[in-house]
Amino acid sequence: MASFVPTSPETLEDQRLYTQARLVEVSCLDCLARVGVKKNSEHHTSIQWSDQALGHCPEFARMSAQPGGRPVYAGCPRLVASIDAVVREGRIPIGAEDGY
């Protein structure tokens, strides 16, 4: 249960900008899961997973089947390689705009 549910238009817009602004759809070159990606810097990548994308990822399924489940910080190396390729192609801009 959420401890804070935004109601003011300004807060809702901030939430939208933080979670959705500048997202570029990237498909994993291995399993074709599609995620939203933005790079605020060379070292900071935000990835928004949908339930459908999570269901497509065999790496996450493998990690989830381990005792204790998938660590929340663990990423999919195949997706990371796919994102890196898209960044090299120049399809994802690097750098935050207006704080997002």
Side-chain angles (χ1 to χ4, degrees), residues 17-83:
L17 287 170
Y18 185 75
T19 60
Q20 298 172 12
R22 298 187 313 108
L23 289 178
V24 174
E25 188 174 274
V26 174
S27 294
C28 177
L29 296 174
D30 185 49
C31 72
L32 304 180
R34 293 187 314 222
V35 298
V37 177
K38 75 176 164 182
K39 294 208 45 87
N40 289 331
S41 73
E42 185 177 324
H43 302 289
H44 178 246
T45 304
S46 294
I47 304 170
Q48 295 293 322
W49 285 83
S50 67
D51 289 338
Q52 184 179 17
L54 287 169
H56 273 89
C57 183
E59 184 67 18
F60 274 13
R62 183 190 62 75
M63 286 189 268
S64 294
Q66 295 176 352
R70 178 182 70 85
V72 73
Y73 59 83
C76 174
R78 294 173 182 137
L79 180 64
V80 170
S82 300
I83 292 169

